[in-house]
Amino acid sequence: MAKSLTYKILEEHLVSGKLEPGNEIGIRIDQTLTQDATGTMAYLQFEAMGMPRVRTKLSVSYVDHNMLQSGFENADDHRFLQGIAAKYGIYFSRPGNGICHQVHLERFGVPGQTLVGSDSHTPTGGGLGMIAIGAGGLDVAMAMGGQPFYIMAPRVVLVHLTGSLPPWVSGKDVILEVLRRQTVKGGLGRVFEYGGPGVENLSVPERATITNMGAELGATTSIFPSDERTREYLRAQKREDVWRPLAADPDAEYDEVMEIDLSTLEPLVACPSSPDAVVPVREVAGTEVRQICVGSCTNSSYYDLTLVASVLKGKTVCPGRSMTVSPGSRQVFAMIARSGALADLIEAGVRILEAGCGPCIGMGQAPPTGAASLRTFNRNFPGRSGTPDDQVYLTSPGVAAATALRGVITDPRELGDLPRIELPQEFLIDDSMIIPPSDKPEEVEIVRGPNIAPLPLAEPMPEEIRGEVLLKLGDNISTDTILPAGAKILPLRSNIPAISQYVFNYVDATVPQRAKQAGVSMIAGGANYGQGSSREHAALAPMYLGVKAVFAKTFARMHHTNLINFGILPLRFVHDADYERLNPADVLEIANVRQAIRDGTQITVRNITQGYEFTARHDLTPRQVEIALAGGLLNQVRSSQS
Ligand code: MIC
Ligand code: SF4
């Protein structure tokens, strides 16, 4: 049967399960990546598994998120990560070398291979023709240990591209258009596979912008074919040897098809505060903006930054506006320094930040109260920037540059001709900031700062769950709401007792204390609960506080898995009316829960406070039922070892 590229690669890596949409499959993982904010936990978990060395073809540990060292915590974590990498066979990308996804694309990605990363934007690698999937740290730790990675075999959507992009319209606008049509819920259980004659008109960095922000659809991943453009890019990275041509069979059948004629697109913007609130830039043109930020793993390539520099050259950022640029990698940084683009940015009054995530994850540059901020990033969930009432707009670098000049949202087509920028024939190759693993692992000392707390484990699932509903939330609650990031909270990622004090901090700061008082508790949400990041802390910290079940209309993929991995039961409301009827602070009871989740998918829940029963549903596979009963994956792994 003629196959999609997605299914070809999955088939090559299939270890268990039937490769048909809706079945759980296990796949072999070639590469893993971690970043520091999720990596410390992932490596504590890997250590707990007792393996001497990783079993992947390649594993890389990046430091790019927790870069602001306002206390000892982050520096201690970086040192811990470096020791772990040396000892267990992992490459270590030092702080300053860049954002994991950008560096991985440049230096490590291989067409046709599988990559799992403890970061939701791991699908960036799909720009090179990889099956690259984001996951919680524990799943990445398992993959490092040579275990299969489990997903539901996806439905595949062909995004059929024709034509070529008009001037000032970019890869960012392609993914914003997909988000406009599909919304942040539209990708659940799906892979977006790009194809058609328009593909060859997109460079690898543009493709990577598209697959990167496919994460905002809630998709399992996104992928492009590996073609002559891929080869060109890899050649310019002096890695042509890893290239191989990859495409879907010509008559492949897809579950869905979406048509995009690139030549009809225009500059788009996602308005506050959701990546799918997309409108043409011209509709919001004239809106005053106080801050412009260029960078993040979505838009920080050499082309992106050079375009911004070309627009700003010889001019000054509009008075009263703050503009920052954070290069995606040291390669990009060094190249714009050599080309002179960096000088143009500095002379224009841009505030240059180091190569890393920076403002994208609230590591500094929180915008002023009540003011709009325009960013080339991928997420604008409420409060993510660090300012509670933030109004963040997401756009392409071209729109950002035009807006920086005028101080109001500006359609860059008003600036006239698009500056001509050639993609480099050769990138600057210098891997000296990537430290290979030690060949004498027994001599490596792992230094643990006082911020690195021992791993908490959940109890096995009890016979009965009876607890209070701590919060009732609406649709599309992101993990940034469940457990915020930012400069204050991120440094506590290796310390679950400490970070658990910030669970739902910006919704209701009394949650941690109420949870502790209640002993056992639950949370209720609407559709697409837990969208956004891969951070397993959004499950680990609630678990630590005694949360035993989360009820929602639907769950985002990674958070659903993370809840199960840490012994929290995700349950769906079968009828929306049951969601409506529930009140916060109601006490719910699930009797014989161990038996119930084994016997079937329907669970009877008693609302003790209001005196009625309703049916909820679990979507756990038989493998996941066993994990849930054990009180999480780590418990299960440990008991299988003893
Ligand atoms: C994000 O963009 O939200 C993050 C920070 O990169 C997260 C990972 C994390 O929370 O550490 C992600 O995307 O998975
Ligand atoms: Fe870093 Fe932002 Fe990308 Fe997350 S989305 S990896 S915080 S740059």
Side-chain angles (χ1 to χ4, degrees), residues 85-120:
K87 196 173 186 73
Y88 293 107
I90 299 154
Y91 284 79
F92 182 73
S93 172
R94 294 169 59 186
N97 198 44
I99 307 174
C100 52
H101 310 302
Q102 174 70 23
V103 178
H104 209 84
L105 192 78
E106 292 168 356
R107 307 305 307 142
F108 295 113
V110 176
Q113 290 202 355
T114 52
L115 165 70
V116 168
S118 63
D119 193 281
S120 63

PDB file of all heavy atoms in Angstrom, residues 85-120:
ATOM      1  N   ALA A  85      26.178  14.146  31.781  1.00  0.00           N
ATOM      2  CA  ALA A  85      26.417  13.912  30.348  1.00  0.00           C
ATOM      3  C   ALA A  85      27.734  13.159  30.160  1.00  0.00           C
ATOM      4  O   ALA A  85      27.796  12.152  29.440  1.00  0.00           O
ATOM      5  CB  ALA A  85      26.425  15.240  29.599  1.00  0.00           C
ATOM      6  N   ALA A  86      28.758  13.641  30.821  1.00  0.00           N
ATOM      7  CA  ALA A  86      30.078  13.013  30.673  1.00  0.00           C
ATOM      8  C   ALA A  86      30.019  11.550  31.093  1.00  0.00           C
ATOM      9  O   ALA A  86      30.565  10.671  30.429  1.00  0.00           O
ATOM     10  CB  ALA A  86      31.094  13.775  31.527  1.00  0.00           C
ATOM     11  N   LYS A  87      29.314  11.284  32.191  1.00  0.00           N
ATOM     12  CA  LYS A  87      29.308   9.928  32.750  1.00  0.00           C
ATOM     13  C   LYS A  87      28.474   8.943  31.935  1.00  0.00           C
ATOM     14  O   LYS A  87      28.865   7.801  31.740  1.00  0.00           O
ATOM     15  CB  LYS A  87      28.747   9.991  34.177  1.00  0.00           C
ATOM     16  CG  LYS A  87      29.026   8.753  34.996  1.00  0.00           C
ATOM     17  CD  LYS A  87      28.590   8.957  36.437  1.00  0.00           C
ATOM     18  CE  LYS A  87      28.991   7.785  37.297  1.00  0.00           C
ATOM     19  NZ  LYS A  87      30.433   7.743  37.579  1.00  0.00           N
ATOM     20  N   TYR A  88      27.343   9.407  31.449  1.00  0.00           N
ATOM     21  CA  TYR A  88      26.396   8.454  30.842  1.00  0.00           C
ATOM     22  C   TYR A  88      26.415   8.428  29.310  1.00  0.00           C
ATOM     23  O   TYR A  88      25.554   7.809  28.696  1.00  0.00           O
ATOM     24  CB  TYR A  88      24.983   8.726  31.360  1.00  0.00           C
ATOM     25  CG  TYR A  88      24.852   8.410  32.833  1.00  0.00           C
ATOM     26  CD1 TYR A  88      24.748   9.427  33.770  1.00  0.00           C
ATOM     27  CD2 TYR A  88      24.883   7.094  33.277  1.00  0.00           C
ATOM     28  CE1 TYR A  88      24.643   9.134  35.125  1.00  0.00           C
ATOM     29  CE2 TYR A  88      24.790   6.793  34.622  1.00  0.00           C
ATOM     30  CZ  TYR A  88      24.667   7.807  35.550  1.00  0.00           C
ATOM     31  OH  TYR A  88      24.581   7.519  36.879  1.00  0.00           O
ATOM     32  N   GLY A  89      27.363   9.105  28.702  1.00  0.00           N
ATOM     33  CA  GLY A  89      27.499   8.965  27.245  1.00  0.00           C
ATOM     34  C   GLY A  89      26.688   9.963  26.444  1.00  0.00           C
ATOM     35  O   GLY A  89      26.217   9.649  25.348  1.00  0.00           O
ATOM     36  N   ILE A  90      26.533  11.167  26.993  1.00  0.00           N
ATOM     37  CA  ILE A  90      25.671  12.169  26.365  1.00  0.00           C
ATOM     38  C   ILE A  90      26.510  13.384  25.954  1.00  0.00           C
ATOM     39  O   ILE A  90      27.397  13.811  26.709  1.00  0.00           O
ATOM     40  CB  ILE A  90      24.581  12.595  27.391  1.00  0.00           C
ATOM     41  CG1 ILE A  90      23.746  11.359  27.775  1.00  0.00           C
ATOM     42  CG2 ILE A  90      23.706  13.717  26.856  1.00  0.00           C
ATOM     43  CD1 ILE A  90      23.104  11.437  29.121  1.00  0.00           C
ATOM     44  N   TYR A  91      26.236  13.936  24.788  1.00  0.00           N
ATOM     45  CA  TYR A  91      26.915  15.174  24.377  1.00  0.00           C
ATOM     46  C   TYR A  91      26.334  16.342  25.167  1.00  0.00           C
ATOM     47  O   TYR A  91      25.121  16.393  25.385  1.00  0.00           O
ATOM     48  CB  TYR A  91      26.754  15.405  22.880  1.00  0.00           C
ATOM     49  CG  TYR A  91      27.654  14.495  22.076  1.00  0.00           C
ATOM     50  CD1 TYR A  91      27.303  13.162  21.854  1.00  0.00           C
ATOM     51  CD2 TYR A  91      28.882  14.946  21.589  1.00  0.00           C
ATOM     52  CE1 TYR A  91      28.144  12.307  21.165  1.00  0.00           C
ATOM     53  CE2 TYR A  91      29.727  14.097  20.890  1.00  0.00           C
ATOM     54  CZ  TYR A  91      29.351  12.784  20.687  1.00  0.00           C
ATOM     55  OH  TYR A  91      30.196  11.938  20.016  1.00  0.00           O
ATOM     56  N   PHE A  92      27.187  17.261  25.571  1.00  0.00           N
ATOM     57  CA  PHE A  92      26.738  18.382  26.404  1.00  0.00           C
ATOM     58  C   PHE A  92      26.939  19.688  25.647  1.00  0.00           C
ATOM     59  O   PHE A  92      28.068  20.057  25.318  1.00  0.00           O
ATOM     60  CB  PHE A  92      27.538  18.396  27.713  1.00  0.00           C
ATOM     61  CG  PHE A  92      27.123  19.496  28.657  1.00  0.00           C
ATOM     62  CD1 PHE A  92      25.915  19.425  29.343  1.00  0.00           C
ATOM     63  CD2 PHE A  92      27.939  20.599  28.876  1.00  0.00           C
ATOM     64  CE1 PHE A  92      25.532  20.434  30.215  1.00  0.00           C
ATOM     65  CE2 PHE A  92      27.568  21.611  29.749  1.00  0.00           C
ATOM     66  CZ  PHE A  92      26.359  21.530  30.421  1.00  0.00           C
ATOM     67  N   SER A  93      25.837  20.366  25.363  1.00  0.00           N
ATOM     68  CA  SER A  93      25.917  21.655  24.671  1.00  0.00           C
ATOM     69  C   SER A  93      25.920  22.751  25.735  1.00  0.00           C
ATOM     70  O   SER A  93      24.934  22.941  26.452  1.00  0.00           O
ATOM     71  CB  SER A  93      24.714  21.782  23.729  1.00  0.00           C
ATOM     72  OG  SER A  93      24.653  23.074  23.179  1.00  0.00           O
ATOM     73  N   ARG A  94      27.027  23.415  25.853  1.00  0.00           N
ATOM     74  CA  ARG A  94      27.240  24.342  26.971  1.00  0.00           C
ATOM     75  C   ARG A  94      26.328  25.569  26.881  1.00  0.00           C
ATOM     76  O   ARG A  94      25.933  25.969  25.785  1.00  0.00           O
ATOM     77  CB  ARG A  94      28.707  24.806  26.966  1.00  0.00           C
ATOM     78  CG  ARG A  94      29.667  23.689  27.246  1.00  0.00           C
ATOM     79  CD  ARG A  94      31.084  24.091  26.970  1.00  0.00           C
ATOM     80  NE  ARG A  94      31.502  25.235  27.770  1.00  0.00           N
ATOM     81  CZ  ARG A  94      32.674  25.852  27.630  1.00  0.00           C
ATOM     82  NH1 ARG A  94      33.541  25.426  26.727  1.00  0.00           N
ATOM     83  NH2 ARG A  94      32.973  26.863  28.393  1.00  0.00           N
ATOM     84  N   PRO A  95      26.069  26.186  28.059  1.00  0.00           N
ATOM     85  CA  PRO A  95      25.289  27.428  28.024  1.00  0.00           C
ATOM     86  C   PRO A  95      25.988  28.442  27.132  1.00  0.00           C
ATOM     87  O   PRO A  95      27.208  28.612  27.220  1.00  0.00           O
ATOM     88  CB  PRO A  95      25.271  27.891  29.489  1.00  0.00           C
ATOM     89  CG  PRO A  95      26.103  26.936  30.276  1.00  0.00           C
ATOM     90  CD  PRO A  95      26.438  25.770  29.416  1.00  0.00           C
ATOM     91  N   GLY A  96      25.249  29.070  26.267  1.00  0.00           N
ATOM     92  CA  GLY A  96      25.845  30.011  25.313  1.00  0.00           C
ATOM     93  C   GLY A  96      25.891  29.420  23.913  1.00  0.00           C
ATOM     94  O   GLY A  96      26.067  30.130  22.932  1.00  0.00           O
ATOM     95  N   ASN A  97      25.718  28.085  23.822  1.00  0.00           N
ATOM     96  CA  ASN A  97      25.793  27.465  22.495  1.00  0.00           C
ATOM     97  C   ASN A  97      24.475  27.551  21.737  1.00  0.00           C
ATOM     98  O   ASN A  97      24.459  27.343  20.530  1.00  0.00           O
ATOM     99  CB  ASN A  97      26.224  26.006  22.626  1.00  0.00           C
ATOM    100  CG  ASN A  97      26.743  25.452  21.330  1.00  0.00           C
ATOM    101  OD1 ASN A  97      27.513  26.125  20.633  1.00  0.00           O
ATOM    102  ND2 ASN A  97      26.305  24.262  20.966  1.00  0.00           N
ATOM    103  N   GLY A  98      23.402  27.853  22.455  1.00  0.00           N
ATOM    104  CA  GLY A  98      22.151  28.100  21.733  1.00  0.00           C
ATOM    105  C   GLY A  98      20.981  27.250  22.166  1.00  0.00           C
ATOM    106  O   GLY A  98      21.099  26.386  23.035  1.00  0.00           O
ATOM    107  N   ILE A  99      19.848  27.519  21.511  1.00  0.00           N
ATOM    108  CA  ILE A  99      18.591  26.840  21.847  1.00  0.00           C
ATOM    109  C   ILE A  99      18.635  25.421  21.277  1.00  0.00           C
ATOM    110  O   ILE A  99      19.011  25.207  20.114  1.00  0.00           O
ATOM    111  CB  ILE A  99      17.378  27.595  21.264  1.00  0.00           C
ATOM    112  CG1 ILE A  99      17.400  29.073  21.676  1.00  0.00           C
ATOM    113  CG2 ILE A  99      16.078  26.935  21.677  1.00  0.00           C
ATOM    114  CD1 ILE A  99      16.316  29.924  21.039  1.00  0.00           C
ATOM    115  N   CYS A 100      18.199  24.476  22.094  1.00  0.00           N
ATOM    116  CA  CYS A 100      18.314  23.059  21.723  1.00  0.00           C
ATOM    117  C   CYS A 100      17.827  22.791  20.293  1.00  0.00           C
ATOM    118  O   CYS A 100      18.522  22.133  19.509  1.00  0.00           O
ATOM    119  CB  CYS A 100      17.571  22.181  22.719  1.00  0.00           C
ATOM    120  SG  CYS A 100      15.855  22.621  23.053  1.00  0.00           S
ATOM    121  N   HIS A 101      16.659  23.296  19.939  1.00  0.00           N
ATOM    122  CA  HIS A 101      16.084  22.919  18.641  1.00  0.00           C
ATOM    123  C   HIS A 101      16.875  23.486  17.474  1.00  0.00           C
ATOM    124  O   HIS A 101      17.074  22.823  16.459  1.00  0.00           O
ATOM    125  CB  HIS A 101      14.621  23.354  18.574  1.00  0.00           C
ATOM    126  CG  HIS A 101      13.851  22.902  19.774  1.00  0.00           C
ATOM    127  ND1 HIS A 101      13.760  21.581  20.127  1.00  0.00           N
ATOM    128  CD2 HIS A 101      13.186  23.586  20.735  1.00  0.00           C
ATOM    129  CE1 HIS A 101      13.052  21.476  21.246  1.00  0.00           C
ATOM    130  NE2 HIS A 101      12.698  22.681  21.635  1.00  0.00           N
ATOM    131  N   GLN A 102      17.328  24.721  17.619  1.00  0.00           N
ATOM    132  CA  GLN A 102      18.107  25.338  16.552  1.00  0.00           C
ATOM    133  C   GLN A 102      19.448  24.610  16.397  1.00  0.00           C
ATOM    134  O   GLN A 102      19.865  24.269  15.293  1.00  0.00           O
ATOM    135  CB  GLN A 102      18.312  26.838  16.881  1.00  0.00           C
ATOM    136  CG  GLN A 102      19.217  27.587  15.939  1.00  0.00           C
ATOM    137  CD  GLN A 102      18.623  27.799  14.548  1.00  0.00           C
ATOM    138  OE1 GLN A 102      17.418  27.769  14.356  1.00  0.00           O
ATOM    139  NE2 GLN A 102      19.499  28.005  13.566  1.00  0.00           N
ATOM    140  N   VAL A 103      20.116  24.349  17.525  1.00  0.00           N
ATOM    141  CA  VAL A 103      21.436  23.694  17.454  1.00  0.00           C
ATOM    142  C   VAL A 103      21.272  22.264  16.939  1.00  0.00           C
ATOM    143  O   VAL A 103      22.081  21.779  16.143  1.00  0.00           O
ATOM    144  CB  VAL A 103      22.142  23.700  18.834  1.00  0.00           C
ATOM    145  CG1 VAL A 103      23.480  22.973  18.755  1.00  0.00           C
ATOM    146  CG2 VAL A 103      22.344  25.129  19.334  1.00  0.00           C
ATOM    147  N   HIS A 104      20.219  21.603  17.372  1.00  0.00           N
ATOM    148  CA  HIS A 104      20.037  20.218  16.934  1.00  0.00           C
ATOM    149  C   HIS A 104      19.823  20.144  15.427  1.00  0.00           C
ATOM    150  O   HIS A 104      20.355  19.263  14.755  1.00  0.00           O
ATOM    151  CB  HIS A 104      18.872  19.565  17.686  1.00  0.00           C
ATOM    152  CG  HIS A 104      19.051  18.087  17.842  1.00  0.00           C
ATOM    153  ND1 HIS A 104      19.797  17.521  18.850  1.00  0.00           N
ATOM    154  CD2 HIS A 104      18.621  17.049  17.074  1.00  0.00           C
ATOM    155  CE1 HIS A 104      19.811  16.200  18.707  1.00  0.00           C
ATOM    156  NE2 HIS A 104      19.105  15.895  17.629  1.00  0.00           N
ATOM    157  N   LEU A 105      19.053  21.108  14.925  1.00  0.00           N
ATOM    158  CA  LEU A 105      18.823  21.162  13.474  1.00  0.00           C
ATOM    159  C   LEU A 105      20.155  21.364  12.748  1.00  0.00           C
ATOM    160  O   LEU A 105      20.458  20.687  11.763  1.00  0.00           O
ATOM    161  CB  LEU A 105      17.883  22.335  13.179  1.00  0.00           C
ATOM    162  CG  LEU A 105      17.285  22.419  11.794  1.00  0.00           C
ATOM    163  CD1 LEU A 105      16.129  21.428  11.668  1.00  0.00           C
ATOM    164  CD2 LEU A 105      16.759  23.825  11.515  1.00  0.00           C
ATOM    165  N   GLU A 106      20.936  22.312  13.273  1.00  0.00           N
ATOM    166  CA  GLU A 106      22.204  22.644  12.618  1.00  0.00           C
ATOM    167  C   GLU A 106      23.185  21.460  12.649  1.00  0.00           C
ATOM    168  O   GLU A 106      23.780  21.107  11.645  1.00  0.00           O
ATOM    169  CB  GLU A 106      22.870  23.826  13.335  1.00  0.00           C
ATOM    170  CG  GLU A 106      22.133  25.146  13.193  1.00  0.00           C
ATOM    171  CD  GLU A 106      22.663  26.225  14.141  1.00  0.00           C
ATOM    172  OE1 GLU A 106      23.555  25.944  14.975  1.00  0.00           O
ATOM    173  OE2 GLU A 106      22.158  27.362  14.057  1.00  0.00           O
ATOM    174  N   ARG A 107      23.363  20.875  13.834  1.00  0.00           N
ATOM    175  CA  ARG A 107      24.511  20.010  14.027  1.00  0.00           C
ATOM    176  C   ARG A 107      24.216  18.511  14.138  1.00  0.00           C
ATOM    177  O   ARG A 107      25.128  17.697  14.011  1.00  0.00           O
ATOM    178  CB  ARG A 107      25.301  20.453  15.286  1.00  0.00           C
ATOM    179  CG  ARG A 107      25.683  21.921  15.313  1.00  0.00           C
ATOM    180  CD  ARG A 107      26.476  22.385  14.089  1.00  0.00           C
ATOM    181  NE  ARG A 107      27.636  21.557  13.833  1.00  0.00           N
ATOM    182  CZ  ARG A 107      28.057  21.221  12.611  1.00  0.00           C
ATOM    183  NH1 ARG A 107      27.402  21.647  11.532  1.00  0.00           N
ATOM    184  NH2 ARG A 107      29.121  20.471  12.457  1.00  0.00           N
ATOM    185  N   PHE A 108      22.954  18.136  14.449  1.00  0.00           N
ATOM    186  CA  PHE A 108      22.720  16.717  14.755  1.00  0.00           C
ATOM    187  C   PHE A 108      21.577  16.032  14.009  1.00  0.00           C
ATOM    188  O   PHE A 108      21.570  14.805  13.902  1.00  0.00           O
ATOM    189  CB  PHE A 108      22.465  16.549  16.260  1.00  0.00           C
ATOM    190  CG  PHE A 108      23.640  16.880  17.132  1.00  0.00           C
ATOM    191  CD1 PHE A 108      23.608  17.983  17.976  1.00  0.00           C
ATOM    192  CD2 PHE A 108      24.789  16.106  17.103  1.00  0.00           C
ATOM    193  CE1 PHE A 108      24.689  18.299  18.794  1.00  0.00           C
ATOM    194  CE2 PHE A 108      25.874  16.411  17.912  1.00  0.00           C
ATOM    195  CZ  PHE A 108      25.826  17.514  18.756  1.00  0.00           C
ATOM    196  N   GLY A 109      20.604  16.773  13.554  1.00  0.00           N
ATOM    197  CA  GLY A 109      19.422  16.141  12.963  1.00  0.00           C
ATOM    198  C   GLY A 109      19.778  15.284  11.755  1.00  0.00           C
ATOM    199  O   GLY A 109      20.655  15.636  10.972  1.00  0.00           O
ATOM    200  N   VAL A 110      19.088  14.151  11.616  1.00  0.00           N
ATOM    201  CA  VAL A 110      19.347  13.237  10.494  1.00  0.00           C
ATOM    202  C   VAL A 110      18.017  12.840   9.854  1.00  0.00           C
ATOM    203  O   VAL A 110      17.153  12.275  10.531  1.00  0.00           O
ATOM    204  CB  VAL A 110      20.092  11.966  10.980  1.00  0.00           C
ATOM    205  CG1 VAL A 110      20.283  10.974   9.838  1.00  0.00           C
ATOM    206  CG2 VAL A 110      21.431  12.317  11.610  1.00  0.00           C
ATOM    207  N   PRO A 111      17.852  13.108   8.562  1.00  0.00           N
ATOM    208  CA  PRO A 111      16.599  12.727   7.893  1.00  0.00           C
ATOM    209  C   PRO A 111      16.294  11.245   8.080  1.00  0.00           C
ATOM    210  O   PRO A 111      17.201  10.407   7.980  1.00  0.00           O
ATOM    211  CB  PRO A 111      16.884  13.030   6.410  1.00  0.00           C
ATOM    212  CG  PRO A 111      17.984  14.043   6.424  1.00  0.00           C
ATOM    213  CD  PRO A 111      18.796  13.774   7.655  1.00  0.00           C
ATOM    214  N   GLY A 112      15.040  10.958   8.379  1.00  0.00           N
ATOM    215  CA  GLY A 112      14.613   9.561   8.493  1.00  0.00           C
ATOM    216  C   GLY A 112      14.811   8.954   9.869  1.00  0.00           C
ATOM    217  O   GLY A 112      14.334   7.850  10.130  1.00  0.00           O
ATOM    218  N   GLN A 113      15.514   9.649  10.767  1.00  0.00           N
ATOM    219  CA  GLN A 113      15.697   9.099  12.110  1.00  0.00           C
ATOM    220  C   GLN A 113      14.579   9.569  13.039  1.00  0.00           C
ATOM    221  O   GLN A 113      13.841  10.505  12.731  1.00  0.00           O
ATOM    222  CB  GLN A 113      17.061   9.518  12.678  1.00  0.00           C
ATOM    223  CG  GLN A 113      18.215   8.834  11.959  1.00  0.00           C
ATOM    224  CD  GLN A 113      19.494   8.782  12.781  1.00  0.00           C
ATOM    225  OE1 GLN A 113      19.596   9.333  13.871  1.00  0.00           O
ATOM    226  NE2 GLN A 113      20.497   8.111  12.236  1.00  0.00           N
ATOM    227  N   THR A 114      14.488   8.912  14.203  1.00  0.00           N
ATOM    228  CA  THR A 114      13.517   9.328  15.218  1.00  0.00           C
ATOM    229  C   THR A 114      14.249  10.081  16.329  1.00  0.00           C
ATOM    230  O   THR A 114      15.373   9.734  16.702  1.00  0.00           O
ATOM    231  CB  THR A 114      12.799   8.110  15.829  1.00  0.00           C
ATOM    232  OG1 THR A 114      13.786   7.174  16.263  1.00  0.00           O
ATOM    233  CG2 THR A 114      11.865   7.458  14.838  1.00  0.00           C
ATOM    234  N   LEU A 115      13.574  11.097  16.824  1.00  0.00           N
ATOM    235  CA  LEU A 115      14.131  11.930  17.899  1.00  0.00           C
ATOM    236  C   LEU A 115      13.031  12.150  18.930  1.00  0.00           C
ATOM    237  O   LEU A 115      11.911  12.504  18.566  1.00  0.00           O
ATOM    238  CB  LEU A 115      14.579  13.280  17.313  1.00  0.00           C
ATOM    239  CG  LEU A 115      14.855  14.434  18.281  1.00  0.00           C
ATOM    240  CD1 LEU A 115      16.125  14.173  19.092  1.00  0.00           C
ATOM    241  CD2 LEU A 115      15.025  15.765  17.512  1.00  0.00           C
ATOM    242  N   VAL A 116      13.361  11.929  20.199  1.00  0.00           N
ATOM    243  CA  VAL A 116      12.430  12.310  21.263  1.00  0.00           C
ATOM    244  C   VAL A 116      13.128  13.317  22.147  1.00  0.00           C
ATOM    245  O   VAL A 116      14.299  13.130  22.502  1.00  0.00           O
ATOM    246  CB  VAL A 116      11.975  11.075  22.086  1.00  0.00           C
ATOM    247  CG1 VAL A 116      11.251  11.516  23.344  1.00  0.00           C
ATOM    248  CG2 VAL A 116      11.035  10.230  21.265  1.00  0.00           C
ATOM    249  N   GLY A 117      12.438  14.399  22.474  1.00  0.00           N
ATOM    250  CA  GLY A 117      13.057  15.448  23.280  1.00  0.00           C
ATOM    251  C   GLY A 117      12.157  15.883  24.415  1.00  0.00           C
ATOM    252  O   GLY A 117      10.927  15.891  24.270  1.00  0.00           O
ATOM    253  N   SER A 118      12.784  16.256  25.532  1.00  0.00           N
ATOM    254  CA  SER A 118      11.980  16.698  26.687  1.00  0.00           C
ATOM    255  C   SER A 118      11.638  18.167  26.526  1.00  0.00           C
ATOM    256  O   SER A 118      11.886  18.994  27.394  1.00  0.00           O
ATOM    257  CB  SER A 118      12.715  16.432  27.994  1.00  0.00           C
ATOM    258  OG  SER A 118      13.907  17.171  28.050  1.00  0.00           O
ATOM    259  N   ASP A 119      11.096  18.484  25.382  1.00  0.00           N
ATOM    260  CA  ASP A 119      10.643  19.835  25.096  1.00  0.00           C
ATOM    261  C   ASP A 119       9.616  19.736  23.974  1.00  0.00           C
ATOM    262  O   ASP A 119       9.823  19.010  22.992  1.00  0.00           O
ATOM    263  CB  ASP A 119      11.820  20.716  24.661  1.00  0.00           C
ATOM    264  CG  ASP A 119      11.404  22.177  24.666  1.00  0.00           C
ATOM    265  OD1 ASP A 119      10.736  22.598  23.703  1.00  0.00           O
ATOM    266  OD2 ASP A 119      11.713  22.874  25.647  1.00  0.00           O
ATOM    267  N   SER A 120       8.536  20.483  24.110  1.00  0.00           N
ATOM    268  CA  SER A 120       7.423  20.316  23.166  1.00  0.00           C
ATOM    269  C   SER A 120       7.781  20.735  21.744  1.00  0.00           C
ATOM    270  O   SER A 120       7.111  20.334  20.804  1.00  0.00           O
ATOM    271  CB  SER A 120       6.214  21.109  23.641  1.00  0.00           C
ATOM    272  OG  SER A 120       6.517  22.485  23.652  1.00  0.00           O
TER     273      SER A 120
END
